Amino acid sequence: NMVVKLFGQIKAGNPQRVLLCFLEKGIEFEVIHVDLNTFEQKKPEYLLRQPFGQVPAIEDGDLKLFESRAISRYYATKYADQGTDLLGKTLEQRAIVEQWMEVEANYFNVVVLPLVINIVFTPKFDVALVEELKVKLDKVLDVYENQLAMNRYLAGAEFSLADLTHMPGMRYIMNEAGLGSMITSRENVNRWWNEMSARPAWKKLMEMAAY
Amino acid sequence: MVLKVYGPHFASPKRALVTLIEKGVPFETVPVDLMKGEHKQPAYLALQPFGTVPAVVDGDYKIFESRAVMRYVAEKYRSQGPDLLGKTVEDRGQVEQWLDVEATTFHPPLLNLTLHIMFASVMGFPSDEKLIKESEEKLSAVLDVYEAHLSKSKYLAGDFVSLADLAHLPFTDYLVGPIGKAYMIKDRKHVSAWWDDISSRPAWKETLEKYSFPA
């Protein structure tokens, strides 16, 4: 069976980055469900695949990889000529895609992840912490609002991996976390989200996730 | 026009500096006075809209985020110096994997230790003992994974030194030095050997010699 296997859960944010990449590139895949509710990802057999006990991990013949952004970069590079161009055409364009992928990991996700964990998954969450995180997210989104006033997408005129990696977190912001007004109150960030979430690959992922 | 790196005396910019030195790329540095709030001034924000270091200007081209700069330099100067991205697409996949592990898993608890042990008094906030303890425990668990991995692999991505190893240098240098937790590295046989190897590379020694924070 030569199809890449993705270990994870379709409703989980990190695996969704990889699924989106596969869908945008037209790469066939198989999802092997890892039950996060029973902490399957912390069990010895899974730790052999991903030693930090997190999803996703992939297995593609002899190749094994983890870290959703690294997996996405690998497939976007390997299948550069197939499906959506996610990395830009030149070295300089790719480096700007990399820059905004770093921003997603180091500025956006570092606040969105604890926000989602608290608001969505923690029964009695720390109200002061959530307020602090919202202030931080506001500052980050102000930078995005400015960047997206001058560029259709984060790295330039075209949709790229830098936009894609934001989508699972943005979905939580707009839905379960109840923070949609932070997006809709910003004209350019709102436009960006509306365009990205209208993409066929995203719609297909939403169908698969069946929220 | 020579490539310029802004903020060389701080830790994150050193990821970019060590990569440039490894690849033998000429560059200049421009100091940024964080204590005077230079990073929040419009002139700097035009280069890095989040107001953090480094920012890099290469002729007409601007790029920020230290790991993105590393990738840019390693790709642009692929044919000179060590190949820090590996030889094949699959090698590169492993490099990207461990570079992402550094960013998402290794760095956050180490950053907490850096801020609360080294910089709390300087930056004027109370040092959080509970956070320090939790961060050390988290980092310890991560280093246990590294110990197991490095017992089977000479460097993080395989048998070649890569961006993934170099990305660990600046903040681990703080950990074994001013943070005062060298035992976290030294008590782990394979992590210790790996650290001795990468931190004794001439490019890293030159980075520290030229760009350590002035006393």
Side-chain angles (χ1 to χ4, degrees):
Chain A
N1 188 350
M2 290 308 293
V3 163
V4 55
K5 296 184 170 70
L6 171 76
F7 292 81
Q9 204 168 296
I10 298 175
K11 281 192 162 84
N14 295 337
Q16 283 183 351
R17 286 192 188 96
V18 178
L19 288 167
L20 257 184
C21 178
F22 288 161
L23 291 165
E24 288 281 353
K25 301 298 283 178
I27 296 168
E28 276 192 65
F29 60 89
E30 191 191 335
V31 178
I32 313 287
H33 184 80
V34 175
D35 194 350
L36 305 182
N37 295 321
T38 58
F39 297 100
E40 193 183 334
Q41 75 278 22
K42 306 292 181 191
K43 301 206 165 100
E45 313 92 83
Y46 186 78
L47 289 175
L48 291 173
R49 241 173 234 298
Q50 213 289 11
F52 300 96
Q54 307 201 317
V55 289
I58 61 102
E59 187 180 315
D60 193 351
D62 290 332
L63 175 77
K64 294 191 165 115
L65 276 181
F66 51 87
E67 284 295 316
S68 62
R69 299 170 191 86
I71 296 168
S72 303
R73 284 178 172 103
Y74 169 75
Y75 282 96
T77 304
K78 183 164 181 171
Y79 292 92
D81 297 330
Q82 171 179 317
T84 310
D85 180 1
L86 293 174
L87 288 170
K89 297 197 172 30
T90 64
L91 162 70
E92 285 73 21
Q93 282 173 358
R94 177 166 181 164
I96 301 301
V97 172
E98 296 286 5
Q99 174 187 281
W100 288 98
M101 283 184 77
E102 286 293 320
V103 167
E104 184 270 330
N106 301 325
Y107 299 84
F108 181 84
N109 199 48
V110 293
V111 292
V112 170
L113 181 62
L115 265 175
V116 168
I117 288 173
N118 274 276
I119 297 173
V120 182
F121 295 108
T122 308
K124 283 196 182 126
F125 63 82
D126 183 341
V127 173
L129 173 65
V130 164
E131 285 313 304
E132 202 186 296
L133 289 168
K134 280 158 77 173
V135 168
K136 284 183 175 162
L137 182 56
D138 259 328
K139 292 198 167 114
V140 169
L141 289 174
D142 283 343
V143 176
Y144 281 42
E145 179 64 7
N146 205 49
Q147 176 68 13
L148 292 164
M150 300 177 295
N151 299 279
R152 189 170 171 200
Y153 294 101
L154 286 172
E158 306 288 333
F159 179 80
S160 75
L161 260 193
D163 308 290
L164 185 155
T165 52
H166 285 81
M167 293 180 77
M170 287 290 289
R171 194 206 64 78
Y172 271 118
I173 290 176
M174 298 300 294
N175 293 279
E176 297 92 336
L179 296 172
S181 62
M182 293 181 86
I183 305 304
T184 56
S185 62
R186 291 176 165 88
E187 185 188 330
N188 299 297
V189 175
N190 192 45
R191 166 192 54 79
W192 172 66
W193 172 247
N194 286 338
E195 281 200 30
M196 297 200 292
S197 51
R199 293 179 71 84
W202 177 253
K203 293 187 165 185
K204 176 74 186 158
L205 177 65
M206 289 300 97
E207 222 178 287
M208 286 170 61
Y211 285 104
Chain B
M1 282 211 62
V2 166
L3 184 152
K4 291 191 173 71
V5 180
Y6 286 73
H9 297 113
F10 301 97
S12 299
K14 290 186 168 66
R15 290 193 185 96
L17 295 174
V18 71
T19 305
L20 287 161
I21 297 174
E22 285 279 358
K23 300 298 277 180
V25 178
F27 64 92
E28 285 171 6
T29 60
V30 181
V32 176
D33 195 337
L34 263 53
M35 291 306 291
K36 288 201 177 126
E38 194 181 338
H39 53 308
K40 302 294 179 192
Q41 300 302 315
Y44 187 76
L45 291 172
L47 299 177
Q48 214 290 9
F50 298 93
T52 59
V53 288
V56 167
V57 178
D58 191 4
D60 290 330
Y61 182 72
K62 293 186 296 183
I63 177 171
F64 55 85
E65 284 301 299
S66 61
R67 299 172 194 85
V69 175
M70 293 175 96
R71 290 173 171 107
Y72 168 69
V73 170
E75 186 70 64
K76 183 169 179 176
Y77 296 95
R78 198 108 194 221
S79 55
Q80 71 187 57
D83 194 342
L84 300 170
L85 292 166
K87 292 187 179 45
T88 63
V89 175
E90 284 67 31
D91 278 348
R92 181 163 185 170
Q94 297 296 317
V95 175
E96 295 288 3
Q97 175 184 280
W98 287 100
L99 193 46
D100 276 3
V101 165
E102 189 272 329
T104 64
T105 309
F106 181 88
H107 184 67
L110 181 48
L111 181 63
N112 284 338
L113 292 177
T114 302
L115 291 174
H116 284 263
I117 295 175
M118 282 177 72
F119 292 113
S121 53
V122 164
M123 289 170 68
F125 59 84
S127 172
D128 185 339
E129 287 304 317
K130 182 161 169 274
L131 182 64
I132 290 174
K133 182 164 179 284
E134 280 170 11
S135 299
E136 180 168 344
E137 281 165 9
K138 276 190 178 150
L139 184 57
S140 201
V142 171
L143 286 170
D144 285 342
V145 176
Y146 278 44
E147 179 64 13
H149 178 66
L150 291 165
S151 72
K152 294 172 292 185
S153 185
K154 183 168 187 201
Y155 296 102
L156 287 170
D159 60 7
F160 60 97
V161 74
S162 76
L163 292 186
D165 307 288
L166 300 182
H168 288 78
L169 286 164
F171 285 88
T172 309
D173 184 70
Y174 281 167
L175 182 69
V176 304
I179 292 176
K181 295 187 187 294
Y183 58 84
M184 294 185 78
I185 302 297
K186 303 261 178 272
D187 289 355
R188 293 173 166 90
K189 179 174 164 196
H190 299 97
V191 171
S192 187
W194 166 76
W195 173 250
D196 287 345
D197 184 318
I198 60 172
S199 59
S200 61
R201 290 179 73 84
W204 180 242
K205 292 187 153 172
E206 185 178 331
T207 304
L208 285 180
E209 206 179 307
K210 288 184 174 162
Y211 305 107
S212 279
F213 210 88

